[in-house]
Amino acid sequence: MLYAFICTDKPGSLQTRLDNRPAHLEFLNSLGDALKGAGPFLDDHGNMTGSMLLIEAANREEALAISKEDPYARAGLFETVEIRPWNWALKNPEAS
């Protein structure tokens, strides 16, 4: 099952994001094929304000455990994290 992680940064936390970005990217790369896509949300000035990740996990509990291991989450970057099951209906490169 795929899960979308929709994460919103706390106001004024850009420096926390920048300080933890290398560890965050290393963590995402360590997920291997379970990571289907990831990237930051941007404001109108191009500043990062949140994250969206697409993760394959066996169930919601596994997805939640992955979200808690993210260095951004451990650093307290996020104001909110929403984890939602997601169906990749169109342009899924893994669909037959």
Side-chain angles (χ1 to χ4, degrees), residues 1 3 5 57-68 83:
M1 164 89 41
Y3 291 88
F5 296 14
N59 52 49
R60 182 171 182 69
E61 291 76 26
E62 182 180 334
L64 181 59
I66 291 169
S67 75
K68 289 181 179 181
I83 300 174

Side-chain angles (χ1 to χ4, degrees), residues 2-14:
L2 290 177
Y3 291 88
F5 296 14
I6 303 165
C7 310
T8 302
D9 294 357
K10 291 177 181 172
S13 63
L14 181 58

